[in-house]
Amino acid sequence: AQRVTQPEKLLSVFKGAPVELKCNYSYSGSPELFWYVQYSRQRLQLLLRHISRESIKGFTADLNKGETSFHLKKPFAQEEDSAMYYCALMGAQGGSEKLVFGKGTKLTVNP
Amino acid sequence: EPEVTQTPSHQVTQMGQEVILRCVPISNHLYFYWYRQILGQKVEFLVSFYNNEISEKSEIFDDQFSVERPDGSNFTLKIRSTKLEDSAMYFCASSESGTAKANYGYTFGSGTRLTVV
């Protein structure tokens, strides 16, 4: 079964502090993993995908297959980073196309 | 930047009524999806659509739901007889190709908030 777990429903940090949003997954094959961000009352936007190993808006995420994790990190949080963050998995087995989302973490960056 | 467009942004309907949620995917995209998010809960997959047919659906997508691509641009989700528990934000998404799905995920619309009273 495919499952994505984001253990923190809420995360609050001060501006300039490091932030880590946790994501663990359960999948028997090799998954594709993504982070989506949803700013207040806006659409879900793709933030990061593990296949590209890129840094967007200062965020990075490394896939750790041993720990089945894909934590999202940023060394210095900014107030504009306040949003809902969703970790999502796409399983390649059986040609499935669906994204399985975690419950999301609401990040608040305080001034 | 191309966008997925959803209308209406908010719809209120009475229980038992039929609703049609509309989506205009990005023009060169071939794969289309509906997801929903009940307030306070996770985003859940409903259905995927490719080559004018459903390619995958979840257990949520029962006989009350149907999807259609009536013309070259619109992609609709119909709920035949709405229930209170259908109240949710419904997101449409599209993707360019099979490879793009894995590499880039999807492009989501801004959602339609459906309220069943």
Side-chain angles (χ1 to χ4, degrees), chain B residues 21-89:
Chain B
L21 309 182
R22 290 183 166 77
C23 169
V24 179
I26 293 172
S27 60
N28 64 333
H29 284 190
L30 302 175
Y31 296 79
F32 314 112
Y33 312 88
W34 283 101
Y35 285 76
R36 79 171 185 189
Q37 184 178 30
I38 295 171
L39 188 63
Q41 299 187 26
K42 67 170 79 174
V43 178
E44 300 174 293
F45 169 79
L46 290 178
V47 65
S48 59
F49 191 85
Y50 170 70
N51 201 25
N52 284 319
E53 60 183 26
I54 291 172
S55 48
E56 188 177 1
K57 62 182 181 179
S58 72
E59 59 275 10
I60 302 168
F61 195 87
D62 60 23
D63 292 343
Q64 292 297 314
F65 292 89
S66 63
V67 289
E68 197 176 36
R69 194 146 192 256
D71 52 42
S73 59
N74 289 287
F75 178 54
T76 62
L77 174 70
K78 182 193 290 185
I79 309 175
R80 285 190 187 80
S81 178
T82 50
K83 304 186 283 286
L84 293 176
E85 53 265 36
D86 293 327
S87 295
M89 182 74 93

Side-chain angles (χ1 to χ4, degrees), chain A residues 16-36:
Chain A
V19 63
E20 181 180 51
L21 292 91
K22 291 184 167 51
C23 172
N24 289 89
Y25 67 89
S26 174
Y27 183 64
S28 57
S30 293
E32 305 293 342
L33 285 152
F34 306 86
W35 276 99
Y36 280 85

Side-chain angles (χ1 to χ4, degrees), chain A residues 36 43 46 49 86 97 99, chain B residues 4 35 37 103-104 106:
Chain A
Y36 280 85
R43 68 189 66 214
L46 179 65
R49 51 195 190 271
Y86 295 95
E97 307 166 18
L99 278 171
Chain B
V4 174
Y35 285 76
Q37 184 178 30
N103 291 344
Y104 304 109
Y106 313 140

Side-chain angles (χ1 to χ4, degrees), chain B residues 3-21:
Chain B
E3 289 186 347
V4 174
T5 305
Q6 289 187 246
T7 55
S9 57
H10 190 187
Q11 181 153 359
V12 181
T13 188
Q14 286 199 325
M15 190 169 55
Q17 295 296 305
E18 174 183 287
V19 295
I20 298 177
L21 309 182

